[in-house]
mmCIF file of all heavy atoms in Angstrom:
data_model
loop_
_atom_site.group_PDB
_atom_site.id
_atom_site.type_symbol
_atom_site.label_atom_id
_atom_site.label_comp_id
_atom_site.label_asym_id
_atom_site.label_seq_id
_atom_site.Cartn_x
_atom_site.Cartn_y
_atom_site.Cartn_z
ATOM 1 N N PHE H 137 -26.212 34.431 -12.981
ATOM 2 C CA PHE H 137 -25.473 33.188 -12.940
ATOM 3 C C PHE H 137 -26.314 32.044 -12.668
ATOM 4 O O PHE H 137 -25.835 30.860 -12.643
ATOM 5 C CB PHE H 137 -24.323 33.281 -11.825
ATOM 6 C CG PHE H 137 -23.422 34.389 -12.020
ATOM 7 C CD1 PHE H 137 -23.436 35.451 -11.205
ATOM 8 C CD2 PHE H 137 -22.483 34.311 -13.122
ATOM 9 C CE1 PHE H 137 -22.500 36.478 -11.380
ATOM 10 C CE2 PHE H 137 -21.570 35.381 -13.271
ATOM 11 C CZ PHE H 137 -21.549 36.522 -12.369
ATOM 12 N N ASP H 138 -27.641 32.092 -12.675
ATOM 13 C CA ASP H 138 -28.560 31.013 -12.430
ATOM 14 C C ASP H 138 -28.324 29.841 -13.440
ATOM 15 O O ASP H 138 -28.400 28.729 -13.041
ATOM 16 C CB ASP H 138 -30.059 31.575 -12.395
ATOM 17 C CG ASP H 138 -30.352 32.332 -11.187
ATOM 18 O OD1 ASP H 138 -29.629 32.253 -10.214
ATOM 19 O OD2 ASP H 138 -31.379 32.930 -11.132
ATOM 20 N N GLU H 139 -28.175 30.269 -14.688
ATOM 21 C CA GLU H 139 -28.020 29.242 -15.739
ATOM 22 C C GLU H 139 -26.724 28.413 -15.525
ATOM 23 O O GLU H 139 -26.780 27.196 -15.658
ATOM 24 C CB GLU H 139 -28.038 29.965 -17.155
ATOM 25 C CG GLU H 139 -28.104 28.928 -18.266
ATOM 26 C CD GLU H 139 -28.250 29.694 -19.590
ATOM 27 O OE1 GLU H 139 -28.884 30.772 -19.654
ATOM 28 O OE2 GLU H 139 -27.656 29.142 -20.603
ATOM 29 N N ILE H 140 -25.685 29.108 -15.126
ATOM 30 C CA ILE H 140 -24.365 28.394 -14.859
ATOM 31 C C ILE H 140 -24.657 27.439 -13.569
ATOM 32 O O ILE H 140 -24.182 26.329 -13.646
ATOM 33 C CB ILE H 140 -23.313 29.402 -14.600
ATOM 34 C CG1 ILE H 140 -23.040 30.167 -15.867
ATOM 35 C CG2 ILE H 140 -22.017 28.653 -14.096
ATOM 36 C CD1 ILE H 140 -22.028 31.320 -15.651
ATOM 37 N N ARG H 141 -25.224 27.953 -12.606
ATOM 38 C CA ARG H 141 -25.519 27.120 -11.375
ATOM 39 C C ARG H 141 -26.376 25.861 -11.717
ATOM 40 O O ARG H 141 -26.099 24.800 -11.270
ATOM 41 C CB ARG H 141 -26.204 27.950 -10.331
ATOM 42 C CG ARG H 141 -25.377 28.856 -9.572
ATOM 43 C CD ARG H 141 -26.081 29.305 -8.254
ATOM 44 N NE ARG H 141 -25.434 30.502 -7.858
ATOM 45 C CZ ARG H 141 -25.887 31.771 -8.047
ATOM 46 N NH1 ARG H 141 -26.896 31.951 -8.753
ATOM 47 N NH2 ARG H 141 -25.118 32.848 -7.600
ATOM 48 N N ALA H 142 -27.369 26.101 -12.626
ATOM 49 C CA ALA H 142 -28.212 25.016 -13.025
ATOM 50 C C ALA H 142 -27.381 23.968 -13.809
ATOM 51 O O ALA H 142 -27.586 22.751 -13.656
ATOM 52 C CB ALA H 142 -29.385 25.498 -13.880
ATOM 53 N N GLY H 143 -26.510 24.416 -14.660
ATOM 54 C CA GLY H 143 -25.664 23.501 -15.464
ATOM 55 C C GLY H 143 -24.703 22.726 -14.553
ATOM 56 O O GLY H 143 -24.572 21.475 -14.748
ATOM 57 N N ILE H 144 -24.130 23.259 -13.483
ATOM 58 C CA ILE H 144 -23.247 22.581 -12.622
ATOM 59 C C ILE H 144 -24.106 21.547 -11.685
ATOM 60 O O ILE H 144 -23.626 20.477 -11.583
ATOM 61 C CB ILE H 144 -22.521 23.560 -11.657
ATOM 62 C CG1 ILE H 144 -21.589 24.379 -12.475
ATOM 63 C CG2 ILE H 144 -21.919 22.847 -10.543
ATOM 64 C CD1 ILE H 144 -20.933 25.553 -11.710
ATOM 65 N N ALA H 145 -25.301 22.015 -11.359
ATOM 66 C CA ALA H 145 -26.211 21.038 -10.664
ATOM 67 C C ALA H 145 -26.519 19.874 -11.390
ATOM 68 O O ALA H 145 -26.582 18.757 -10.980
ATOM 69 C CB ALA H 145 -27.453 21.810 -10.054
ATOM 70 N N SER H 146 -26.868 20.093 -12.737
ATOM 71 C CA SER H 146 -27.182 19.015 -13.626
ATOM 72 C C SER H 146 -25.934 18.054 -13.820
ATOM 73 O O SER H 146 -26.122 16.796 -13.837
ATOM 74 C CB SER H 146 -27.662 19.563 -15.024
ATOM 75 O OG SER H 146 -27.868 18.575 -15.933
ATOM 76 N N LEU H 147 -24.795 18.654 -13.939
ATOM 77 C CA LEU H 147 -23.597 17.874 -14.168
ATOM 78 C C LEU H 147 -23.445 16.963 -12.868
ATOM 79 O O LEU H 147 -23.165 15.793 -13.078
ATOM 80 C CB LEU H 147 -22.420 18.780 -14.257
ATOM 81 C CG LEU H 147 -21.012 18.194 -14.419
ATOM 82 C CD1 LEU H 147 -20.920 17.483 -15.778
ATOM 83 C CD2 LEU H 147 -19.956 19.246 -14.262
ATOM 84 N N GLN H 148 -23.612 17.471 -11.706
ATOM 85 C CA GLN H 148 -23.332 16.647 -10.540
ATOM 86 C C GLN H 148 -24.537 15.731 -10.325
ATOM 87 O O GLN H 148 -24.222 14.619 -9.940
ATOM 88 C CB GLN H 148 -23.377 17.675 -9.192
ATOM 89 C CG GLN H 148 -22.102 18.468 -9.203
ATOM 90 C CD GLN H 148 -22.076 19.523 -8.060
ATOM 91 O OE1 GLN H 148 -22.959 20.379 -8.044
ATOM 92 N NE2 GLN H 148 -21.206 19.322 -7.175
ATOM 93 N N ALA H 149 -25.712 16.047 -10.772
ATOM 94 C CA ALA H 149 -26.855 15.131 -10.581
ATOM 95 C C ALA H 149 -26.593 13.875 -11.523
ATOM 96 O O ALA H 149 -27.138 12.814 -11.219
ATOM 97 C CB ALA H 149 -28.178 15.762 -10.936
ATOM 98 N N ASN H 150 -25.895 14.060 -12.552
ATOM 99 C CA ASN H 150 -25.602 12.941 -13.486
ATOM 100 C C ASN H 150 -24.268 12.337 -13.282
ATOM 101 O O ASN H 150 -23.667 11.756 -14.212
ATOM 102 C CB ASN H 150 -25.673 13.490 -15.017
ATOM 103 C CG ASN H 150 -27.215 13.803 -15.329
ATOM 104 O OD1 ASN H 150 -28.007 12.872 -15.251
ATOM 105 N ND2 ASN H 150 -27.402 15.081 -15.549
ATOM 106 N N GLY H 151 -23.674 12.427 -12.061
ATOM 107 C CA GLY H 151 -22.392 11.808 -11.717
ATOM 108 C C GLY H 151 -21.195 12.579 -12.026
ATOM 109 O O GLY H 151 -20.059 12.061 -11.841
ATOM 110 N N GLY H 152 -21.344 13.741 -12.557
ATOM 111 C CA GLY H 152 -20.125 14.591 -12.918
ATOM 112 C C GLY H 152 -19.617 15.336 -11.673
ATOM 113 O O GLY H 152 -20.233 15.243 -10.626
ATOM 114 N N ARG H 153 -18.495 15.959 -11.885
ATOM 115 C CA ARG H 153 -17.824 16.699 -10.756
ATOM 116 C C ARG H 153 -17.975 18.262 -11.056
ATOM 117 O O ARG H 153 -17.972 18.752 -12.106
ATOM 118 C CB ARG H 153 -16.303 16.460 -10.721
ATOM 119 C CG ARG H 153 -15.853 14.935 -10.728
ATOM 120 C CD ARG H 153 -15.627 14.485 -9.264
ATOM 121 N NE ARG H 153 -14.799 15.433 -8.440
ATOM 122 C CZ ARG H 153 -13.502 15.191 -8.069
ATOM 123 N NH1 ARG H 153 -12.918 14.183 -8.564
ATOM 124 N NH2 ARG H 153 -12.902 16.102 -7.420
ATOM 125 N N ASN H 154 -18.127 18.875 -9.935
ATOM 126 C CA ASN H 154 -18.114 20.417 -10.004
ATOM 127 C C ASN H 154 -16.761 20.835 -10.391
ATOM 128 O O ASN H 154 -15.813 20.641 -9.537
ATOM 129 C CB ASN H 154 -18.642 20.931 -8.721
ATOM 130 C CG ASN H 154 -18.690 22.517 -8.686
ATOM 131 O OD1 ASN H 154 -18.036 23.141 -9.516
ATOM 132 N ND2 ASN H 154 -19.406 22.999 -7.741
ATOM 133 N N PRO H 155 -16.497 21.464 -11.569
ATOM 134 C CA PRO H 155 -15.134 21.841 -11.860
ATOM 135 C C PRO H 155 -14.565 22.878 -10.979
ATOM 136 O O PRO H 155 -13.305 23.099 -11.001
ATOM 137 C CB PRO H 155 -15.284 22.356 -13.289
ATOM 138 C CG PRO H 155 -16.826 22.686 -13.470
ATOM 139 C CD PRO H 155 -17.518 21.733 -12.500
ATOM 140 N N PHE H 156 -15.378 23.651 -10.256
ATOM 141 C CA PHE H 156 -14.890 24.696 -9.405
ATOM 142 C C PHE H 156 -14.534 24.117 -7.957
ATOM 143 O O PHE H 156 -14.128 24.901 -7.090
ATOM 144 C CB PHE H 156 -15.940 25.784 -9.211
ATOM 145 C CG PHE H 156 -16.242 26.453 -10.619
ATOM 146 C CD1 PHE H 156 -17.453 26.231 -11.275
ATOM 147 C CD2 PHE H 156 -15.330 27.319 -11.182
ATOM 148 C CE1 PHE H 156 -17.741 26.751 -12.441
ATOM 149 C CE2 PHE H 156 -15.640 27.816 -12.401
ATOM 150 C CZ PHE H 156 -16.835 27.520 -13.051
ATOM 151 N N ASP H 157 -14.761 22.914 -7.803
ATOM 152 C CA ASP H 157 -14.474 22.229 -6.505
ATOM 153 C C ASP H 157 -13.433 21.120 -6.484
ATOM 154 O O ASP H 157 -13.415 20.263 -5.636
ATOM 155 C CB ASP H 157 -15.836 21.731 -5.941
ATOM 156 C CG ASP H 157 -15.747 21.489 -4.405
ATOM 157 O OD1 ASP H 157 -14.929 22.141 -3.752
ATOM 158 O OD2 ASP H 157 -16.416 20.555 -3.957
ATOM 159 N N MET H 158 -12.625 21.198 -7.563
ATOM 160 C CA MET H 158 -11.558 20.208 -7.701
ATOM 161 C C MET H 158 -10.273 20.667 -6.995
ATOM 162 O O MET H 158 -9.900 21.887 -7.262
ATOM 163 C CB MET H 158 -11.341 19.793 -9.144
ATOM 164 C CG MET H 158 -12.649 19.283 -9.770
ATOM 165 S SD MET H 158 -12.332 18.751 -11.391
ATOM 166 C CE MET H 158 -11.264 17.322 -11.237
ATOM 167 N N ARG H 159 -9.691 19.939 -6.210
ATOM 168 C CA ARG H 159 -8.435 20.191 -5.508
ATOM 169 C C ARG H 159 -7.381 19.184 -5.838
ATOM 170 O O ARG H 159 -7.564 17.977 -5.676
ATOM 171 C CB ARG H 159 -8.650 20.239 -4.025
ATOM 172 C CG ARG H 159 -9.743 21.180 -3.556
ATOM 173 C CD ARG H 159 -9.347 22.625 -3.682
ATOM 174 N NE ARG H 159 -10.403 23.505 -3.158
ATOM 175 C CZ ARG H 159 -11.454 24.010 -3.901
ATOM 176 N NH1 ARG H 159 -11.590 23.748 -5.077
ATOM 177 N NH2 ARG H 159 -12.325 24.769 -3.222
ATOM 178 N N PHE H 160 -6.225 19.624 -6.467
ATOM 179 C CA PHE H 160 -5.205 18.696 -6.785
ATOM 180 C C PHE H 160 -4.470 18.424 -5.500
ATOM 181 O O PHE H 160 -4.143 19.227 -4.666
ATOM 182 C CB PHE H 160 -4.250 19.292 -7.756
ATOM 183 C CG PHE H 160 -4.803 19.480 -9.166
ATOM 184 C CD1 PHE H 160 -5.192 20.800 -9.573
ATOM 185 C CD2 PHE H 160 -5.134 18.375 -9.935
ATOM 186 C CE1 PHE H 160 -5.797 20.849 -10.893
ATOM 187 C CE2 PHE H 160 -5.678 18.545 -11.202
ATOM 188 C CZ PHE H 160 -5.974 19.813 -11.658
ATOM 189 N N ASP H 161 -3.970 17.165 -5.381
ATOM 190 C CA ASP H 161 -3.161 16.744 -4.258
ATOM 191 C C ASP H 161 -1.800 17.252 -4.360
ATOM 192 O O ASP H 161 -1.192 17.776 -3.421
ATOM 193 C CB ASP H 161 -2.999 15.204 -4.244
ATOM 194 C CG ASP H 161 -4.288 14.438 -4.171
ATOM 195 O OD1 ASP H 161 -5.236 14.999 -3.576
ATOM 196 O OD2 ASP H 161 -4.364 13.364 -4.686
ATOM 197 N N ARG H 162 -1.305 17.349 -5.588
ATOM 198 C CA ARG H 162 0.094 17.851 -5.894
ATOM 199 C C ARG H 162 0.326 18.123 -7.322
ATOM 200 O O ARG H 162 -0.236 17.337 -8.147
ATOM 201 C CB ARG H 162 1.141 16.761 -5.363
ATOM 202 C CG ARG H 162 2.520 17.150 -5.462
ATOM 203 C CD ARG H 162 3.363 16.167 -4.724
ATOM 204 N NE ARG H 162 4.698 16.468 -4.976
ATOM 205 C CZ ARG H 162 5.684 15.672 -5.369
ATOM 206 N NH1 ARG H 162 5.366 14.429 -5.555
ATOM 207 N NH2 ARG H 162 6.931 16.134 -5.591
ATOM 208 N N ILE H 163 1.051 19.116 -7.661
ATOM 209 C CA ILE H 163 1.431 19.354 -9.024
ATOM 210 C C ILE H 163 2.791 18.782 -9.248
ATOM 211 O O ILE H 163 3.716 18.993 -8.462
ATOM 212 C CB ILE H 163 1.516 20.981 -9.322
ATOM 213 C CG1 ILE H 163 0.138 21.577 -8.945
ATOM 214 C CG2 ILE H 163 1.886 21.180 -10.723
ATOM 215 C CD1 ILE H 163 -0.973 21.147 -9.728
ATOM 216 N N LEU H 164 2.902 17.848 -10.345
ATOM 217 C CA LEU H 164 4.047 17.084 -10.471
ATOM 218 C C LEU H 164 5.052 17.701 -11.447
ATOM 219 O O LEU H 164 6.189 17.557 -11.388
ATOM 220 C CB LEU H 164 3.726 15.698 -10.912
ATOM 221 C CG LEU H 164 2.838 14.910 -10.042
ATOM 222 C CD1 LEU H 164 2.275 13.646 -10.647
ATOM 223 C CD2 LEU H 164 3.588 14.598 -8.711
ATOM 224 N N SER H 165 4.392 18.417 -12.423
ATOM 225 C CA SER H 165 5.268 18.994 -13.502
ATOM 226 C C SER H 165 4.436 20.108 -14.164
ATOM 227 O O SER H 165 3.299 20.377 -13.792
ATOM 228 C CB SER H 165 5.739 17.913 -14.520
ATOM 229 O OG SER H 165 4.552 17.601 -15.388
ATOM 230 N N ALA H 166 4.915 20.561 -15.286
ATOM 231 C CA ALA H 166 4.192 21.645 -16.035
ATOM 232 C C ALA H 166 2.945 21.131 -16.632
ATOM 233 O O ALA H 166 2.076 21.885 -16.883
ATOM 234 C CB ALA H 166 5.118 22.188 -17.150
ATOM 235 N N THR H 167 2.822 19.779 -16.824
ATOM 236 C CA THR H 167 1.643 19.180 -17.441
ATOM 237 C C THR H 167 0.943 18.080 -16.701
ATOM 238 O O THR H 167 0.029 17.496 -17.193
ATOM 239 C CB THR H 167 2.050 18.688 -18.925
ATOM 240 O OG1 THR H 167 3.060 17.735 -18.731
ATOM 241 C CG2 THR H 167 2.402 19.871 -19.800
ATOM 242 N N GLU H 168 1.397 17.789 -15.481
ATOM 243 C CA GLU H 168 0.855 16.682 -14.856
ATOM 244 C C GLU H 168 0.585 16.949 -13.296
ATOM 245 O O GLU H 168 1.327 17.773 -12.707
ATOM 246 C CB GLU H 168 1.879 15.396 -14.807
ATOM 247 C CG GLU H 168 2.178 14.981 -16.230
ATOM 248 C CD GLU H 168 3.303 13.946 -16.129
ATOM 249 O OE1 GLU H 168 4.394 14.263 -15.870
ATOM 250 O OE2 GLU H 168 2.966 12.771 -16.372
ATOM 251 N N ALA H 169 -0.433 16.343 -12.724
ATOM 252 C CA ALA H 169 -0.754 16.487 -11.411
ATOM 253 C C ALA H 169 -1.299 15.255 -10.769
ATOM 254 O O ALA H 169 -1.615 14.227 -11.560
ATOM 255 C CB ALA H 169 -1.792 17.629 -11.162
ATOM 256 N N LEU H 170 -1.423 15.270 -9.433
ATOM 257 C CA LEU H 170 -2.124 14.127 -8.822
ATOM 258 C C LEU H 170 -3.557 14.630 -8.353
ATOM 259 O O LEU H 170 -3.603 15.689 -7.663
ATOM 260 C CB LEU H 170 -1.382 13.681 -7.546
ATOM 261 C CG LEU H 170 -0.166 12.728 -7.726
ATOM 262 C CD1 LEU H 170 0.428 12.302 -6.480
ATOM 263 C CD2 LEU H 170 -0.543 11.563 -8.578
ATOM 264 N N LEU H 171 -4.549 13.941 -8.730
ATOM 265 C CA LEU H 171 -5.970 14.256 -8.312
ATOM 266 C C LEU H 171 -6.506 12.987 -7.581
ATOM 267 O O LEU H 171 -6.706 12.007 -8.266
ATOM 268 C CB LEU H 171 -6.780 14.657 -9.422
ATOM 269 C CG LEU H 171 -8.209 14.998 -9.226
ATOM 270 C CD1 LEU H 171 -8.306 16.209 -8.320
ATOM 271 C CD2 LEU H 171 -8.950 15.212 -10.560
ATOM 272 N N GLU H 172 -6.737 13.081 -6.309
ATOM 273 C CA GLU H 172 -7.270 12.003 -5.520
ATOM 274 C C GLU H 172 -6.321 10.736 -5.639
ATOM 275 O O GLU H 172 -6.811 9.653 -5.888
ATOM 276 C CB GLU H 172 -8.667 11.689 -5.877
ATOM 277 C CG GLU H 172 -9.652 12.843 -5.530
ATOM 278 C CD GLU H 172 -11.046 12.600 -5.905
ATOM 279 O OE1 GLU H 172 -11.386 11.626 -6.665
ATOM 280 O OE2 GLU H 172 -11.903 13.393 -5.533
ATOM 281 N N GLY H 173 -5.068 11.021 -5.715
ATOM 282 C CA GLY H 173 -4.060 9.960 -5.802
ATOM 283 C C GLY H 173 -3.772 9.455 -7.123
ATOM 284 O O GLY H 173 -2.940 8.569 -7.269
ATOM 285 N N ARG H 174 -4.501 9.892 -8.149
ATOM 286 C CA ARG H 174 -4.279 9.409 -9.483
ATOM 287 C C ARG H 174 -3.652 10.532 -10.369
ATOM 288 O O ARG H 174 -3.985 11.708 -10.306
ATOM 289 C CB ARG H 174 -5.643 9.050 -10.132
ATOM 290 C CG ARG H 174 -6.365 8.009 -9.436
ATOM 291 C CD ARG H 174 -7.687 7.644 -10.096
ATOM 292 N NE ARG H 174 -8.413 8.790 -10.486
ATOM 293 C CZ ARG H 174 -9.393 8.861 -11.237
ATOM 294 N NH1 ARG H 174 -9.950 7.750 -11.701
ATOM 295 N NH2 ARG H 174 -10.042 9.952 -11.516
ATOM 296 N N PRO H 175 -2.644 10.074 -11.218
ATOM 297 C CA PRO H 175 -2.048 11.051 -12.079
ATOM 298 C C PRO H 175 -3.050 11.629 -13.135
ATOM 299 O O PRO H 175 -3.798 10.847 -13.632
ATOM 300 C CB PRO H 175 -0.865 10.336 -12.718
ATOM 301 C CG PRO H 175 -1.228 8.886 -12.512
ATOM 302 C CD PRO H 175 -2.128 8.751 -11.335
ATOM 303 N N CYS H 176 -2.941 12.758 -13.535
ATOM 304 C CA CYS H 176 -3.740 13.292 -14.567
ATOM 305 C C CYS H 176 -2.960 14.416 -15.291
ATOM 306 O O CYS H 176 -2.024 14.946 -14.841
ATOM 307 C CB CYS H 176 -5.048 13.864 -14.071
ATOM 308 S SG CYS H 176 -4.936 15.262 -12.976
ATOM 309 N N LEU H 177 -3.451 14.680 -16.565
ATOM 310 C CA LEU H 177 -2.775 15.770 -17.353
ATOM 311 C C LEU H 177 -3.440 17.019 -17.169
ATOM 312 O O LEU H 177 -4.664 17.130 -16.997
ATOM 313 C CB LEU H 177 -2.868 15.328 -18.785
ATOM 314 C CG LEU H 177 -2.035 14.101 -19.251
ATOM 315 C CD1 LEU H 177 -2.365 13.750 -20.682
ATOM 316 C CD2 LEU H 177 -0.617 14.166 -18.993
ATOM 317 N N LEU H 178 -2.707 18.107 -17.252
ATOM 318 C CA LEU H 178 -3.198 19.532 -17.046
ATOM 319 C C LEU H 178 -3.199 20.144 -18.419
ATOM 320 O O LEU H 178 -2.154 20.340 -19.055
ATOM 321 C CB LEU H 178 -2.266 20.362 -16.149
ATOM 322 C CG LEU H 178 -2.126 19.782 -14.688
ATOM 323 C CD1 LEU H 178 -1.003 20.586 -13.959
ATOM 324 C CD2 LEU H 178 -3.377 19.812 -13.973
ATOM 325 N N PHE H 179 -4.403 20.399 -18.947
ATOM 326 C CA PHE H 179 -4.586 20.996 -20.333
ATOM 327 C C PHE H 179 -4.760 22.543 -20.197
ATOM 328 O O PHE H 179 -4.825 23.194 -21.185
ATOM 329 C CB PHE H 179 -5.572 20.304 -21.024
ATOM 330 C CG PHE H 179 -5.278 18.870 -21.382
ATOM 331 C CD1 PHE H 179 -5.805 17.715 -20.740
ATOM 332 C CD2 PHE H 179 -4.236 18.629 -22.398
ATOM 333 C CE1 PHE H 179 -5.523 16.469 -21.153
ATOM 334 C CE2 PHE H 179 -3.958 17.414 -22.767
ATOM 335 C CZ PHE H 179 -4.629 16.317 -22.142
ATOM 336 N N GLY H 180 -5.174 22.997 -19.029
ATOM 337 C CA GLY H 180 -5.576 24.402 -18.951
ATOM 338 C C GLY H 180 -4.681 25.389 -18.321
ATOM 339 O O GLY H 180 -4.967 26.504 -17.954
ATOM 340 N N THR H 181 -3.360 24.981 -18.093
ATOM 341 C CA THR H 181 -2.458 25.869 -17.415
ATOM 342 C C THR H 181 -1.929 26.928 -18.280
ATOM 343 O O THR H 181 -1.962 26.839 -19.544
ATOM 344 C CB THR H 181 -1.211 25.070 -16.885
ATOM 345 O OG1 THR H 181 -0.358 24.675 -18.088
ATOM 346 C CG2 THR H 181 -1.589 23.830 -16.186
ATOM 347 N N ASN H 182 -1.365 28.009 -17.739
ATOM 348 C CA ASN H 182 -0.657 29.011 -18.476
ATOM 349 C C ASN H 182 0.793 28.710 -18.582
ATOM 350 O O ASN H 182 1.620 29.638 -18.991
ATOM 351 C CB ASN H 182 -0.902 30.359 -17.799
ATOM 352 C CG ASN H 182 -2.329 30.864 -17.992
ATOM 353 O OD1 ASN H 182 -2.993 30.571 -18.905
ATOM 354 N ND2 ASN H 182 -2.830 31.534 -16.992
ATOM 355 N N ASN H 183 1.166 27.544 -18.248
ATOM 356 C CA ASN H 183 2.606 27.235 -18.204
ATOM 357 C C ASN H 183 3.076 26.629 -19.553
ATOM 358 O O ASN H 183 3.626 25.570 -19.652
ATOM 359 C CB ASN H 183 2.831 26.171 -17.035
ATOM 360 C CG ASN H 183 4.291 25.831 -16.780
ATOM 361 O OD1 ASN H 183 5.146 26.739 -17.209
ATOM 362 N ND2 ASN H 183 4.629 24.763 -16.243
ATOM 363 N N TYR H 184 2.665 27.286 -20.567
ATOM 364 C CA TYR H 184 2.862 26.753 -21.942
ATOM 365 C C TYR H 184 4.390 26.689 -22.345
ATOM 366 O O TYR H 184 4.692 25.994 -23.268
ATOM 367 C CB TYR H 184 2.117 27.482 -22.966
ATOM 368 C CG TYR H 184 2.010 29.071 -22.733
ATOM 369 C CD1 TYR H 184 3.085 29.873 -23.120
ATOM 370 C CD2 TYR H 184 0.924 29.603 -22.129
ATOM 371 C CE1 TYR H 184 3.062 31.264 -22.867
ATOM 372 C CE2 TYR H 184 0.921 31.007 -21.870
ATOM 373 C CZ TYR H 184 1.935 31.749 -22.214
ATOM 374 O OH TYR H 184 1.899 33.087 -21.971
#
């Protein structure tokens, strides 16, 4: 998994977020959530 770890480290070093460390404040619907107080769309759910 070293290559994956390096990719995540590079992402973070360039201002990106670790996708494994994101926590939603609240799920609003089948396709929407709050992330750090901002609404966002959920594209990866199994709630098709």
Side-chain angles (χ1 to χ4, degrees):
F137 300 111
D138 288 347
E139 192 174 322
I140 295 171
R141 281 194 200 98
I144 292 171
S146 174
L147 179 70
Q148 290 176 297
N150 290 298
R153 305 261 318 252
N154 180 341
F156 300 106
D157 196 28
M158 298 183 69
R159 305 289 185 267
F160 293 107
D161 304 331
R162 186 169 173 230
I163 305 299
L164 302 172
S165 74
T167 57
E168 299 173 294
L170 283 180
L171 180 63
E172 297 177 350
R174 296 181 319 168
C176 65
L177 296 176
L178 301 173
F179 292 108
T181 72
N182 290 329
N183 191 21
Y184 38 84

